[in-house]
Amino acid sequence: MNERIFIAVAWPYADGPLHLGHIAGAYLPADIFARYHRIKGNEVLMVSGSDQHGTPITIKAEQEGKQPSEIVTQYHQQFLESWQKLGISFDLFTTTGTANHAEVAHDIFLTLLDRGYIYKSTMSQPFCPQCQRFLPDRYIEGTCPYCHSSGARGDQCDECGKPLNAAELIDPHCRQCGTTPQFKDSEHFFLKLTAFEDRLLDWVKQQTHWRQNVLNFTMRYLEGGLKDRAITRDIDWGIPLPVEGFETKRIYVWFEAVIGYLSATKEWAKSTGDDKKWHSFWQGDDVKSYYFIGKDNILFHTLIWPAMLMGYGDLNLPYDVPANEFLTIEGRKLSTSRHWAVWLPDYLSRYDPDPLRYLLSINMPETGDTDFSWREFFRRNNDELVATYGNLVNRVLTFVYRNFDGCVPTYEDMGASDKVLPLDDRDVDLDNKSLAALNTIYADGGLLYQCHFKQALKMAMTVAHETNRYLDEKEPWKVIKEDRQAAANSLYVALGIISRLKTMLYPFLPFSSQKLHEYLGCEGRIEHYGLQTVWPTPGQKLLPPQPLFAKLDEGLAEEETSQLGHAHY
Ligand SMILES: [Zn+2]
Ligand SMILES: [Zn+2]
């Protein structure tokens, strides 16, 4: 029976280019998961979009002397190009700037207000007497009360990573003009999280299939007690409030961005011509929703968004939130302000997508932080993609192409049936092992089903290793001189396993799997073939093979590493 899978992916701020931390944290695992379910024939909807609101964007706009709308348009376009080049296969990647999104956000706001889950109250906010405006989050700076570094912001200290309140800052001042702010009362709306504490606790306790780190983190926070949170701000960039008298305020970005998962689904439904189609991904027992996010976003997806959904009612809560940990770069914490990052558009301008997908998958920060280093990137590309997998494919295809008239050879005694019988013991052994690997990776409840991406990729690579070993034993390149049929047999088996490998590796390496699919003489898109092990048909024409991967100069690692920390991009 087919499943319906809703894949929600974190919304990146449209205030700068994507970097490898974003990709390893949320976008690549989501894409692998989507491709896995699609090739199995399940109905998948994967959505996200640019987060166009929030003070990071207005600050960036002020720095560059542009309008916020120019900044978000520029980066949204760049995100779309990056997804296409890296093969991140969204069904819809929209923005929080659409009328549809504002409408859905207003509906949720008003419904929660109507039910008493949103209420009005005043809070003390920093106000700059010089600029005559309230100073949200990042518009106020000062000295960190914890580590005493200067340049801590009203929401967080970048130096020690502690979240802060503006009132805690030592020597606070307006970022714009340097004036010491006054604190003034301002009326705002609050989300009554305290009303959901018991329901959330009951619900979270049942989520035993969540990753341990996600579950523990959520439980610890929940046991510490929830506080109501302000969901509006004194700013002019963002979604206006759907109530009168609050014209100078906007809905706070964290409240409306999570609503994007629902509004994007509605936008997608409209684009299919069936407005009602969104229901099938948000209601009922026959759909599961997965939220792919980085660990800094866990609470928004395991507590706050579920509370909003509980308050609104009649919509599915997340089934799983497989949040990843962080990716460090060359042993140091990734920092965009210090330019300690590898930017995705920069990478894609010089290298192919699959080697990056490979490295970030085999080294994915699923249960703990992992490190990206250029040395490892070059080494794994050359030793694993080129020497192990690429070489296996290339030597088999090239040899068959030259010695068997560019066609799949015929296995002995096969007759008219496409069943490969009889096989010798070694052939059977390899066939069984690779089939077992495919099942472990792909089965319901298997590795990919449970979001164990790293393990799944490692298992596929052991099949490539094993097949190389098989060929080293069978030596068809030598044997062909005395026994052409024996060589044909082992090459036929190797082609079958390679065909299986293209499927096993497809979610991770979609570009090279598609190429291999074509070299094997298959037409159309690999995903349309589904999850069947197609043994190549004897006599089937192969395409002239090319190497799947290019060897890279490992000497470049030093040069690449030396670029880190410089504002060259
Ligand atoms: Zn000021
Ligand atoms: Zn600090």
Side-chain angles (χ1 to χ4, degrees), residues 493-542:
V493 170
L495 280 173
I497 308 300
I498 285 172
S499 173
R500 206 170 259 164
L501 271 170
K502 97 185 169 194
T503 305
M504 280 190 239
L505 289 166
Y506 163 73
F508 302 96
L509 309 173
F511 296 95
S512 45
S513 280
Q514 177 64 32
K515 267 198 228 166
L516 177 51
H517 179 71
E518 289 161 17
Y519 297 157
L520 286 167
C522 303
E523 285 168 359
R525 302 293 307 169
I526 179 173
E527 51 271 30
H528 298 154
Y529 276 61
L531 188 56
Q532 43 179 333
T533 303
V534 187
W535 282 84
T537 314
Q540 179 173 296
K541 267 273 186 227
L542 302 170

Side-chain angles (χ1 to χ4, degrees), residues 334-503:
L334 193 152
S335 162
T336 53
S337 57
R338 293 194 182 83
H339 309 288
W340 198 261
V342 177
W343 304 104
L344 184 62
D346 182 42
Y347 170 91
L348 291 169
S349 71
R350 281 171 297 135
Y351 300 104
D352 288 334
D354 276 357
L356 181 65
R357 294 179 62 114
Y358 179 78
L359 177 65
L360 295 182
S361 299
I362 206 130
N363 198 15
M364 194 171 271
E366 287 172 23
T367 52
D369 293 355
T370 58
D371 187 51
F372 171 89
S373 80
W374 280 105
R375 256 183 54 209
E376 190 189 4
F377 169 76
F378 288 115
R379 182 182 62 73
R380 284 199 189 261
N381 178 77
N382 291 350
D383 293 358
E384 296 171 20
L385 281 185
V386 176
T388 300
Y389 174 47
N391 185 41
L392 163 69
V393 170
N394 198 47
R395 66 176 173 156
V396 170
L397 287 178
T398 309
F399 191 76
V400 168
Y401 196 81
R402 284 191 193 139
N403 291 278
F404 293 87
D405 299 326
C407 295
V408 176
T410 303
Y411 193 89
E412 198 171 20
D413 298 332
M414 266 181 61
S417 154
D418 60 354
K419 192 95 181 118
V420 189
L421 284 170
L423 295 154
D424 80 13
D425 288 351
R426 187 67 179 93
D427 298 352
V428 171
D429 177 57
L430 183 66
D431 181 30
N432 284 346
K433 274 184 183 156
S434 65
L435 190 58
L438 182 80
N439 285 335
T440 309
I441 294 169
Y442 265 98
D444 284 354
L447 292 174
L448 288 179
Y449 192 89
Q450 296 190 58
C451 302
H452 296 320
F453 304 112
K454 202 191 281 207
Q455 262 175 287
L457 179 53
K458 281 183 181 159
M459 176 150 285
M461 288 304 284
T462 60
V463 174
H465 268 292
E466 186 66 28
T467 313
N468 274 320
R469 205 170 306 138
Y470 168 87
L471 288 166
D472 291 344
E473 288 165 29
K474 292 279 184 180
E475 294 185 299
W477 3 94
K478 273 192 197 159
V479 169
I480 194 167
K481 291 176 198 127
E482 298 107 46
D483 186 346
R484 191 173 165 80
Q485 187 57 56
N489 287 357
S490 51
L491 288 165
Y492 179 81
V493 170
L495 280 173
I497 308 300
I498 285 172
S499 173
R500 206 170 259 164
L501 271 170
K502 97 185 169 194
T503 305

